[in-house]
PDB file of all heavy atoms in Angstrom:
ATOM      1  N   ARG O1413       9.464 -15.678 -79.568  1.00 96.00           N
ATOM      2  CA  ARG O1413      10.886 -15.404 -79.377  1.00 96.00           C
ATOM      3  C   ARG O1413      11.582 -16.580 -78.695  1.00 96.00           C
ATOM      4  O   ARG O1413      12.694 -16.950 -79.061  1.00 96.00           O
ATOM      5  CB  ARG O1413      11.053 -14.129 -78.557  1.00 96.00           C
ATOM      6  CG  ARG O1413      12.497 -13.722 -78.361  1.00 96.00           C
ATOM      7  CD  ARG O1413      12.575 -12.390 -77.630  1.00 96.00           C
ATOM      8  NE  ARG O1413      12.297 -11.283 -78.537  1.00 96.00           N
ATOM      9  CZ  ARG O1413      11.842 -10.100 -78.141  1.00 96.00           C
ATOM     10  NH1 ARG O1413      11.573  -9.887 -76.875  1.00 96.00           N
ATOM     11  NH2 ARG O1413      11.647  -9.134 -79.008  1.00 96.00           N
ATOM     12  N   VAL O1414      10.938 -17.185 -77.685  1.00 95.00           N
ATOM     13  CA  VAL O1414      11.608 -18.263 -76.964  1.00 95.00           C
ATOM     14  C   VAL O1414      11.801 -19.483 -77.870  1.00 95.00           C
ATOM     15  O   VAL O1414      12.790 -20.208 -77.732  1.00 95.00           O
ATOM     16  CB  VAL O1414      10.841 -18.647 -75.676  1.00 95.00           C
ATOM     17  CG1 VAL O1414       9.590 -19.469 -75.964  1.00 95.00           C
ATOM     18  CG2 VAL O1414      11.748 -19.417 -74.723  1.00 95.00           C
ATOM     19  N   LYS O1415      10.897 -19.711 -78.799  1.00 94.00           N
ATOM     20  CA  LYS O1415      11.087 -20.839 -79.726  1.00 94.00           C
ATOM     21  C   LYS O1415      12.361 -20.652 -80.527  1.00 94.00           C
ATOM     22  O   LYS O1415      13.135 -21.598 -80.721  1.00 94.00           O
ATOM     23  CB  LYS O1415       9.870 -20.974 -80.641  1.00 94.00           C
ATOM     24  CG  LYS O1415       8.645 -21.534 -79.934  1.00 94.00           C
ATOM     25  CD  LYS O1415       7.523 -21.854 -80.900  1.00 94.00           C
ATOM     26  CE  LYS O1415       6.840 -20.608 -81.415  1.00 94.00           C
ATOM     27  NZ  LYS O1415       5.654 -20.936 -82.247  1.00 94.00           N
ATOM     28  N   GLY O1416      12.589 -19.439 -81.015  1.00 95.00           N
ATOM     29  CA  GLY O1416      13.804 -19.178 -81.769  1.00 95.00           C
ATOM     30  C   GLY O1416      15.049 -19.300 -80.914  1.00 95.00           C
ATOM     31  O   GLY O1416      16.067 -19.861 -81.342  1.00 95.00           O
ATOM     32  N   ILE O1417      14.981 -18.783 -79.685  1.00 94.00           N
ATOM     33  CA  ILE O1417      16.129 -18.849 -78.776  1.00 94.00           C
ATOM     34  C   ILE O1417      16.514 -20.294 -78.490  1.00 94.00           C
ATOM     35  O   ILE O1417      17.694 -20.679 -78.546  1.00 94.00           O
ATOM     36  CB  ILE O1417      15.809 -18.099 -77.469  1.00 94.00           C
ATOM     37  CG1 ILE O1417      15.753 -16.588 -77.721  1.00 94.00           C
ATOM     38  CG2 ILE O1417      16.834 -18.422 -76.385  1.00 94.00           C
ATOM     39  CD1 ILE O1417      15.233 -15.789 -76.542  1.00 94.00           C
ATOM     40  N   PHE O1418      15.518 -21.133 -78.199  1.00 93.00           N
ATOM     41  CA  PHE O1418      15.812 -22.524 -77.839  1.00 93.00           C
ATOM     42  C   PHE O1418      16.207 -23.354 -79.055  1.00 93.00           C
ATOM     43  O   PHE O1418      17.121 -24.175 -78.981  1.00 93.00           O
ATOM     44  CB  PHE O1418      14.613 -23.151 -77.127  1.00 93.00           C
ATOM     45  CG  PHE O1418      14.503 -22.765 -75.668  1.00 93.00           C
ATOM     46  CD1 PHE O1418      15.176 -21.671 -75.161  1.00 93.00           C
ATOM     47  CD2 PHE O1418      13.712 -23.493 -74.800  1.00 93.00           C
ATOM     48  CE1 PHE O1418      15.081 -21.309 -73.825  1.00 93.00           C
ATOM     49  CE2 PHE O1418      13.604 -23.156 -73.461  1.00 93.00           C
ATOM     50  CZ  PHE O1418      14.290 -22.058 -72.971  1.00 93.00           C
ATOM     51  N   LEU O1419      15.527 -23.170 -80.179  1.00 93.00           N
ATOM     52  CA  LEU O1419      15.866 -23.949 -81.373  1.00 93.00           C
ATOM     53  C   LEU O1419      17.267 -23.625 -81.886  1.00 93.00           C
ATOM     54  O   LEU O1419      17.992 -24.513 -82.353  1.00 93.00           O
ATOM     55  CB  LEU O1419      14.842 -23.696 -82.477  1.00 93.00           C
ATOM     56  CG  LEU O1419      13.502 -24.411 -82.317  1.00 93.00           C
ATOM     57  CD1 LEU O1419      12.493 -23.884 -83.334  1.00 93.00           C
ATOM     58  CD2 LEU O1419      13.669 -25.930 -82.460  1.00 93.00           C
ATOM     59  N   ASN O1420      17.655 -22.366 -81.802  1.00 94.00           N
ATOM     60  CA  ASN O1420      18.966 -21.957 -82.294  1.00 94.00           C
ATOM     61  C   ASN O1420      20.070 -22.077 -81.251  1.00 94.00           C
ATOM     62  O   ASN O1420      21.245 -21.877 -81.564  1.00 94.00           O
ATOM     63  CB  ASN O1420      18.914 -20.501 -82.781  1.00 94.00           C
ATOM     64  CG  ASN O1420      18.058 -20.349 -84.019  1.00 94.00           C
ATOM     65  OD1 ASN O1420      18.121 -21.173 -84.929  1.00 94.00           O
ATOM     66  ND2 ASN O1420      17.244 -19.300 -84.067  1.00 94.00           N
ATOM     67  N   GLY O1421      19.701 -22.386 -80.021  1.00 92.00           N
ATOM     68  CA  GLY O1421      20.707 -22.433 -78.961  1.00 92.00           C
ATOM     69  C   GLY O1421      21.355 -21.081 -78.754  1.00 92.00           C
ATOM     70  O   GLY O1421      22.570 -20.976 -78.533  1.00 92.00           O
ATOM     71  N   THR O1422      20.548 -20.027 -78.793  1.00 94.00           N
ATOM     72  CA  THR O1422      21.063 -18.662 -78.709  1.00 94.00           C
ATOM     73  C   THR O1422      21.668 -18.379 -77.333  1.00 94.00           C
ATOM     74  O   THR O1422      21.057 -18.677 -76.301  1.00 94.00           O
ATOM     75  CB  THR O1422      19.926 -17.648 -78.963  1.00 94.00           C
ATOM     76  OG1 THR O1422      19.352 -17.913 -80.243  1.00 94.00           O
ATOM     77  CG2 THR O1422      20.449 -16.224 -78.921  1.00 94.00           C
ATOM     78  N   THR O1423      22.861 -17.829 -77.331  1.00 95.00           N
ATOM     79  CA  THR O1423      23.485 -17.400 -76.086  1.00 95.00           C
ATOM     80  C   THR O1423      22.990 -15.998 -75.733  1.00 95.00           C
ATOM     81  O   THR O1423      23.127 -15.068 -76.530  1.00 95.00           O
ATOM     82  CB  THR O1423      25.017 -17.388 -76.218  1.00 95.00           C
ATOM     83  OG1 THR O1423      25.478 -18.722 -76.459  1.00 95.00           O
ATOM     84  CG2 THR O1423      25.669 -16.863 -74.947  1.00 95.00           C
ATOM     85  N   ILE O1424      22.394 -15.862 -74.562  1.00 97.00           N
ATOM     86  CA  ILE O1424      21.893 -14.568 -74.096  1.00 97.00           C
ATOM     87  C   ILE O1424      22.930 -13.972 -73.155  1.00 97.00           C
ATOM     88  O   ILE O1424      23.097 -14.433 -72.021  1.00 97.00           O
ATOM     89  CB  ILE O1424      20.542 -14.723 -73.388  1.00 97.00           C
ATOM     90  CG1 ILE O1424      19.516 -15.359 -74.340  1.00 97.00           C
ATOM     91  CG2 ILE O1424      20.032 -13.381 -72.887  1.00 97.00           C
ATOM     92  CD1 ILE O1424      18.209 -15.716 -73.675  1.00 97.00           C
ATOM     93  N   ASP O1425      23.665 -12.972 -73.638  1.00 97.00           N
ATOM     94  CA  ASP O1425      24.697 -12.364 -72.803  1.00 97.00           C
ATOM     95  C   ASP O1425      24.072 -11.378 -71.819  1.00 97.00           C
ATOM     96  O   ASP O1425      22.857 -11.183 -71.785  1.00 97.00           O
ATOM     97  CB  ASP O1425      25.786 -11.717 -73.660  1.00 97.00           C
ATOM     98  CG  ASP O1425      25.281 -10.560 -74.525  1.00 97.00           C
ATOM     99  OD1 ASP O1425      24.231  -9.970 -74.203  1.00 97.00           O
ATOM    100  OD2 ASP O1425      25.956 -10.250 -75.527  1.00 97.00           O
ATOM    101  N   ALA O1426      24.930 -10.740 -71.029  1.00 98.00           N
ATOM    102  CA  ALA O1426      24.438  -9.906 -69.938  1.00 98.00           C
ATOM    103  C   ALA O1426      23.539  -8.780 -70.445  1.00 98.00           C
ATOM    104  O   ALA O1426      22.447  -8.562 -69.905  1.00 98.00           O
ATOM    105  CB  ALA O1426      25.620  -9.336 -69.152  1.00 98.00           C
ATOM    106  N   GLN O1427      23.977  -8.061 -71.479  1.00 98.00           N
ATOM    107  CA  GLN O1427      23.180  -6.943 -71.970  1.00 98.00           C
ATOM    108  C   GLN O1427      21.910  -7.418 -72.656  1.00 98.00           C
ATOM    109  O   GLN O1427      20.842  -6.820 -72.493  1.00 98.00           O
ATOM    110  CB  GLN O1427      23.999  -6.082 -72.939  1.00 98.00           C
ATOM    111  CG  GLN O1427      23.274  -4.814 -73.377  1.00 98.00           C
ATOM    112  CD  GLN O1427      22.878  -3.932 -72.216  1.00 98.00           C
ATOM    113  OE1 GLN O1427      23.722  -3.576 -71.385  1.00 98.00           O
ATOM    114  NE2 GLN O1427      21.593  -3.573 -72.130  1.00 98.00           N
ATOM    115  N   LYS O1428      21.998  -8.496 -73.422  1.00 97.00           N
ATOM    116  CA  LYS O1428      20.809  -9.038 -74.080  1.00 97.00           C
ATOM    117  C   LYS O1428      19.768  -9.459 -73.052  1.00 97.00           C
ATOM    118  O   LYS O1428      18.555  -9.255 -73.250  1.00 97.00           O
ATOM    119  CB  LYS O1428      21.198 -10.238 -74.955  1.00 97.00           C
ATOM    120  CG  LYS O1428      20.050 -10.836 -75.752  1.00 97.00           C
ATOM    121  CD  LYS O1428      19.590  -9.924 -76.861  1.00 97.00           C
ATOM    122  CE  LYS O1428      18.630 -10.629 -77.795  1.00 97.00           C
ATOM    123  NZ  LYS O1428      18.120  -9.723 -78.858  1.00 97.00           N
TER     124      LYS O1428
END
Side-chain angles (χ1 to χ4, degrees):
R1413 183 176 282 156
V1414 76
K1415 287 189 286 186
I1417 289 171
F1418 281 18
L1419 283 170
N1420 292 318
T1422 303
T1423 297
I1424 302 172
D1425 63 22
Q1427 186 58 53
K1428 183 70 170 177

